[in-house]
Amino acid sequence: MRELATELAIVGAGPAGLAAAEIALRHGMPVCLIDDNPAPGGQIWRGGQAGAAMAGHPKLRLLTATRVVAAPAPNCLLLESADGASQLSYHRLLLANGARERLLPFPGWTLPGVTGAGGLQALVKSGLDVRGKKVIIAGSGPLLLATALSLKAAGAQVIQLAEQASLASVSRFALHLWHWPGKLTQALMLGWQLQQVPYAMNTHVRAALGNDRLQAVRLRRGDEEIELACDWLAVGYGLLPNLELARALGCKTHHGVVEVDHVMRTSRRDVFAAGELTGIGGVDKAQLEGRIAGLLIIGEYDRAVALAKRRRRWLRFAAALEQHFSLQPAIAQLASADTVVCRCEDVRFGRLAKCGSWREAKLHTRCGMGPCQGRLCGAACETLFGWQNAGSRPPVFPARLDTLAGNPSTAEVT
Amino acid sequence: MTLIHIKINGESVTVAAHSSVAAALAGRPNRLSVGETAPRAAFCGMGVCFECRVTIDGQSQQRACQVLVREGMEILCDA
Amino acid sequence: MNRHCEVLIIGAGIVGCALAESLARNGLAVTILEAGVIGGGCTAAGMGHLVALDGSPAEWALSLAGVQRWQVRAHALPAAAEYRECGTLWLASSAAEMNEAERKAALYTNYGVSCQLLTAEALYQHEPELAPGLAGGLLVQDEAVMYPPAACQWLLERAQAMGAQLLRGRAQRLEQDGVRLEDGRCLRARQIVVAAGNQSRQLLPELPLQPRKGQLVITERYPGKIHHQLVELGYLQSAHGNAGESVAFNVQPRATGQLLIGSSRQFADTGLADEIDWPLLQKMLARAFHYLPGLRSLQAIRTWAGFRPATPDKLPLLGPLAGHPGVWLATGHEGLGVTTALSSAELLSSLMIGLPPSIDPRPFDPNRFSNANTPICPHALEDALT
Ligand SMILES: Cc1cc2nc3c(=O)[nH]c(=O)nc-3n(C[C@H](O)[C@H](O)[C@H](O)COP(=O)(O)OP(=O)(O)OC[C@H]3O[C@@H](n4cnc5c(N)ncnc54)[C@H](O)[C@@H]3O)c2cc1C
Ligand SMILES: Cc1cc2nc3c(=O)[nH]c(=O)nc-3n(C[C@H](O)[C@H](O)[C@H](O)COP(=O)(O)OP(=O)(O)OC[C@H]3O[C@@H](n4cnc5c(N)ncnc54)[C@H](O)[C@@H]3O)c2cc1C
Ligand code: FES
């Protein structure tokens, strides 16, 4: 096991983490930037050239395809990558490890060919060939539009975009966009580029059909149901912060986000959080928060506070996003008794419906006991049954036993 | 576009360099579900769901969506 | 609300549920009170190895009877209980430990339990993944592993089918012939059994109980990697010693193909905080790698900690509590409560009903630590085994 040490550890090389890293590096502070993905960029700039300007900076240690698996001691993280484990000690820690999609069960959702919405976008960004393929994109939120655009650009034929929120709700959101001019331009651009794609509101996926692979999708729009044949179905219901690591560090969370003060300090000394972790608000909010945290960490308190004033508008944006794309009750009722809810352990809805809490479900059905550790089914059960799932036990991600066993040998210092 | 050669279940496949293993699998089932042995494939695309687990160069339980293809890589699927 | 019942059991862990079933089978009107999830206490934290241990004659009697009672009922258990007769393989790493294995073998044989001494060669045929250099082992074929929360739920359902009632709520204090619940309700009962595991002390602070923390790690599914529950012969020292901290090699093949890796023991002054103690976890893993080097590259998906309800002599408290008329205890099962749930239930229900118990109850007398006249363990000295 390698032993590393750094001044500032940043988990997540998305917009938030990169913005903070840039400020710290410019100040001359040693930074260790860690990301599970093979390249920096986070979810949005996946597979792109993000962070290229910083690459090779003498004070930067960039650890890609590396995940934080535990926090075994104060100011210490346990990391794992294909070439082994390391233990990183730090003075300050910025959590910028972003969000995942809310993925909810419906009949047929385990068929190959069905993916998350951002999931299909991510697969395409990492090289999946969709040229000429028929794709349906469904779920909720602006990410559906971004996904549609990526897929079109990659040569797919997006035959239907389905948003579960009502037209009124989406229009009201659009109407408010002038508060955030950047977002308005983005939306207009998207609208223009997607003008040939049928975009239906108040519409959701009832079922994915097929035997061993997806063949068609049944959509429900108001009272009518239609079936469309397709090659891929991408469904996602917005984003959820990745709270496991923050919880493992003992940071307070509230309503599903990491609690931070105006300058991105968490409840734990020397631990900061920025980006989607503190509330789903998109790339501009993430970058801004990354900069605020970066400034504070290099000791520029006044500049951090000054910048923090701009955060309020993005918090309003985050709130508007949540309000206008909130889920219709029908979405929580799509699963039938034999729909698999826990994909790792194959636990079906019917068995879960007999349980009274997340813990009971876990102990008596194995729901959430597989390798994803409830990342998907825990969030799904929260939507379906209202169960809270605050627990998280190490490791944050499954890890090799010899990683957990530790035994630092060689020492290296950044 | 640089192409590289990998093997999926012993079969030679040519894919673009910098693709992830999940992208190279292109939606083909990579594992069987625990209880009912139904085919499964990459789902979340971002390392969260663990549906895309395959054996890569002898190492089992690797998430295909988080690993880039390498020349000569051998991938084994259970399905 | 007032409710009357003959016996009120506080705690639906595996011990309380087994007792409820036993009493209900004897025709008593039983109510079982649970504050949380059925089998969600210590019962959900343990390994579920059904194993006879011979730390003392009393422990041997209770655990052997426990293993045998589970064997008899195995066919009736639901699939979710994952009962699997994988056998226990005790590992000897030296000639001295091999002597210990031979001594154990004689004991098993004496009691009609089938077992097999293994030479080093035979050992590696049984478990090729073991590290080289071991001296041999002892295979106890009929012992099993189980998933305790499901077995617990099953016992409760059996009890309910025979008329037992489940009540949800938390007992706050014992009163004259009844129990006061946290929500203000009062339950009247002629007999009250405290089977609340470690939390029994919240009701009876004077009980000689101390939580003994244990940590476990579970892996992804690797079916066929190992075939038996593997335990080092030094385990008993870890379990029965009073060292502040100890680890022993103890790895179990789950019915799912997962490996469950134990085990550690520590008297935590942190109360019931179940955070992982990393240095101790790492010591435990190092011990596991020493015996099974192939574990290193396997994926761990989860670690957790639980608290064994421990008494000073590691034997449970089973019987009437002096000074509290009508109050009985069924707690203090340390690291063997799953194994001994059925035998403990039989012993205690015999005492409660006034039938002669099939196991000598005196070593389990809850008052043995305060009452100078009762020897701690009547036969302990004759054939003490460690
Ligand atoms: C799939 C997806 C697609 C999106 N597409 C668009 C789009 O096209 N347009 C748009 O405007 N917005 C998009 N968004 C929203 C946008 O990504 C976010 O607003 C922005 O990326 C947030 O930045 P961030 O820095 O908070 O987190 P992220 O960009 O999510 O970065 C977090 C990083 O942390 C890593 N990580 C997480 N846990 C660990 C760990 N334990 N150890 C190591 N690394 C870890 C992740 O792999 C990830 O790279 C998308 C979001 C998602 C989830
Ligand atoms: C790491 C570890 C490994 C183990 N491995 C094994 C093994 O391999 N084999 C084996 O046989 N044993 C093993 N054990 C031991 C075994 O798990 C315990 O001895 C057994 O589960 C104890 O059961 P119980 O019913 O007494 O306690 P619990 O399961 O704790 O049950 C007590 C119940 O009472 C309830 N309760 C508490 N207070 C109140 C109240 N005031 N009102 C209402 N309800 C209340 C609780 O919610 C709980 O459900 C292990 C234990 C640990 C920690
Ligand atoms: S597709 Fe979900 S982890 Fe790879």
Side-chain angles (χ1 to χ4, degrees), chain A residues 123, chain B residues 22 41-52 63-66:
Chain A
L123 287 167
Chain B
F43 178 62
C44 75
M46 55 183 95
V48 175
C49 73
F50 289 75
E51 285 282 42
C52 63
R63 288 168 299 162
C65 68
Q66 297 301 95

Side-chain angles (χ1 to χ4, degrees), chain C residues 10-16 33-51 148 169-172 195-200 202-203 212-216 229 235 250 252 263-264 304-309 330-340:
Chain C
I10 302 172
I14 195 138
V15 170
L33 177 72
E34 173 56 54
V37 174
I38 305 303
C42 184
T43 300
M47 277 186 125
H49 181 204
L50 307 178
V51 58
R170 179 175 293 279
Q172 196 170 44
N198 273 307
Q199 289 151 291
S200 304
Q202 290 171 1
L203 299 167
R212 205 175 186 197
K213 189 170 178 173
Q215 307 191 122
L216 299 174
Q229 172 110 17
Y235 175 82
N250 188 351
Q252 173 179 96
S263 62
S264 65
W304 69 89
F307 296 89
R308 307 173 183 91
T331 184
H333 288 75
E334 217 267 3
L336 269 182
V338 178
T339 304
T340 60

Side-chain angles (χ1 to χ4, degrees), chain A residues 345 359 363 366 373 394 399 401, chain C residues 40 147 221 298 300 302-303:
Chain A
E345 295 293 320
R359 194 165 142 73
L363 286 179
R366 293 191 57 82
Q373 285 291 293
L401 281 165
Chain C
Y147 179 60
R221 295 173 188 244
L298 305 189
R302 199 172 166 86
T303 61

Side-chain angles (χ1 to χ4, degrees), chain C residues 108-186:
Chain C
Y108 285 104
T109 311
N110 217 356
Y111 280 83
V113 178
S114 66
C115 67
Q116 191 186 348
L117 275 165
L118 301 179
T119 60
E121 196 188 350
L123 178 66
Y124 292 109
Q125 272 164 15
H126 278 83
E127 293 289 357
E129 293 271 330
L130 283 170
L134 293 174
L138 173 68
L139 176 61
V140 187
Q141 288 100 335
D142 297 341
E143 290 184 338
V145 302
M146 194 167 69
Y147 179 60
C152 183
Q153 175 76 36
W154 174 75
L155 285 168
L156 175 67
E157 284 166 13
R158 298 267 312 132
Q160 287 175 305
M162 293 181 288
Q165 304 260 345
L166 170 67
L167 210 72
R168 303 281 182 172
R170 179 175 293 279
Q172 196 170 44
R173 62 173 184 273
L174 303 182
E175 295 183 340
Q176 285 284 316
D177 57 64
V179 172
R180 176 69 61 181
L181 302 197
E182 206 175 47
D183 58 16
R185 282 182 292 173
C186 183

